[in-house]
Amino acid sequence: MDLRPIGRCNLSCPFCFGPRHEMPTMRRAEAFRIAATLRQEGVQGVVISGGEPTLLSYLGELVQELSSPLPDGGAAPRVVLSTNGLASLRRMEGVLPGLSWIALPLESADEKEHRELRKGVAPHRERVLGLLREVRKNHQQINVKLGTVVTRRNVAGAPRVLDLIEDSCRPDVWKVYQMSETNYGADNAGWLSIGDAEFEEVVARCQEAADEREVTLRVYRNADRSGTYFFIDPDCEVVVVDEGEERRLGNFFDLVRDDDGVRPAGLVQPFSNAANFVGTYPEAPRGQR
């Protein structure tokens, strides 16, 4: 599942499908109550995203809480941090030790294309590449997923993203996303959205690049989105994707029953959701290890 405890972000990317930036941040007590429930219910993987999760004052504690061994000896969830990569290395020191994966974004090998899509802080690409080098050098237990969102503005530069990365820092997985027309992506669909046929042409070029660099490529298609995501937003609302659209189902705590725990039936397709997570964040990725 995807825990989105914050809407606020230090970028204003026009394709973002995360929560609206003005949404109030989830309170620490609520985040830890959710974490306890997920651990109790045997959730196998948690992606912490947003907004920008490194802006959370309690992020390091939340990662530690989610990833710590279970009292009964069972496996704790694998914790993924999906970040824009702008946090300082000092800030990341308290977060990285509890992670199984870190997900970082690079949208184009062309500087102008990338700057148009990752708006707000420059030089964004250099900051991301610096964090990637730090992870590979000093946190080799963490796997890396590189994400690239394909829009009408980066069809030329997206397939060449791996050219920016030296061999010693290659990601374990490179995931290429078709832009989703939800939230900010919906606001800007008129000038950013890309059709299925053109997206598949970009995917083919990305596959060639991934094969050449021996990196595993995964592809996100809007047609496959329904039933494969389970979000908890900053206001504690459960959000799923139904027929390509986000659907809010109610407050997470209202869906928890004290006698027998959270009831996921009807909220998400468990096997599809698990396949999406494992496909993106495999236990034994090919690449650096």
Side-chain angles (χ1 to χ4, degrees):
M1 53 77 60
D2 194 312
L3 178 59
R4 306 193 291 196
I6 186 170
R8 185 163 56 96
C9 188
N10 45 10
L11 291 177
S12 54
C13 306
F15 56 81
C16 179
F17 65 87
R20 295 286 176 175
H21 298 334
E22 62 271 15
M23 290 187 72
T25 299
M26 187 181 292
R27 293 194 297 267
R28 182 185 183 280
E30 293 173 329
F32 276 74
R33 186 179 168 195
I34 289 172
T37 302
L38 300 179
R39 284 164 55 84
Q40 175 185 332
E41 295 300 319
V43 170
Q44 297 177 16
V46 178
V47 181
I48 303 175
S49 66
E52 176 45 43
T54 61
L55 300 178
L56 282 171
S57 61
Y58 57 80
L59 177 62
E61 299 169 84
L62 180 61
V63 169
Q64 183 178 7
E65 172 67 16
L66 282 166
S67 62
S68 60
L70 299 182
D72 63 1
R78 282 185 282 156
V79 179
V80 180
L81 178 67
S82 181
T83 172
N84 63 27
L86 289 174
S88 68
L89 296 181
R90 182 175 180 180
R91 169 70 173 136
M92 295 301 295
E93 286 176 357
V95 177
L96 291 170
L99 299 180
S100 298
W101 284 80
I102 189 168
L104 297 170
L106 286 174
E107 312 307 341
S108 178
D110 180 274
E111 183 179 356
K112 183 179 179 180
E113 288 182 357
H114 185 89
R115 190 168 58 246
E116 186 175 12
L117 294 173
R118 287 287 169 180
K119 301 181 74 69
V121 176
H124 175 261
R125 288 195 318 178
E126 286 69 19
R127 297 275 288 272
V128 170
L129 292 170
L131 179 54
L132 175 56
R133 293 186 194 102
E134 169 66 16
V135 170
R136 283 303 189 213
K137 180 179 179 180
N138 296 316
H139 300 274
Q140 297 181 14
Q141 80 282 3
I142 300 176
N143 299 303
V144 176
K145 186 212 79 175
L146 187 68
T148 300
V149 179
V150 178
T151 73
R152 188 153 303 285
R153 300 291 179 152
N154 63 333
V155 292
R160 297 185 287 110
V161 159
L162 294 181
D163 293 348
L164 300 171
I165 301 173
E166 55 262 40
D167 282 343
S168 61
C169 294
R170 285 177 300 170
D172 297 288
V173 169
W174 180 25
K175 191 162 186 177
V176 176
Y177 295 79
Q178 185 177 13
M179 194 197 85
S180 298
E181 295 183 15
T182 51
N183 296 335
Y184 294 100
D187 296 345
N188 298 293
W191 61 280
L192 282 182
S193 186
I194 186 171
D196 294 347
E198 190 172 2
F199 177 67
E200 293 303 331
E201 292 176 2
V202 176
V203 168
R205 287 187 282 141
C206 291
Q207 186 66 67
E208 292 178 2
D211 291 343
E212 183 177 342
R213 296 293 297 277
E214 297 185 325
V215 173
T216 298
L217 184 75
R218 293 288 181 261
V219 181
Y220 163 98
R221 297 174 173 88
N222 287 330
D224 301 329
R225 193 175 183 218
S226 293
T228 60
Y229 286 89
F230 177 26
F231 302 106
I232 302 177
D233 268 1
D235 57 1
C236 299
E237 287 284 307
V238 171
V239 180
V240 296
V241 179
D242 182 22
E243 296 183 356
E245 300 290 333
E246 289 193 356
R247 183 159 64 93
R248 294 167 73 82
L249 299 177
N251 187 279
F252 176 82
F253 300 113
D254 292 339
L255 301 171
V256 174
R257 300 184 179 185
D258 291 338
D259 55 345
D260 54 2
V262 70
R263 298 286 199 131
L267 306 184
V268 69
Q269 298 173 24
F271 296 108
S272 297
N273 189 50
N276 180 41
F277 180 87
V278 173
T280 303
Y281 308 107
E283 289 194 59
R286 180 169 61 92
Q288 294 296 308
R289 290 156 186 79

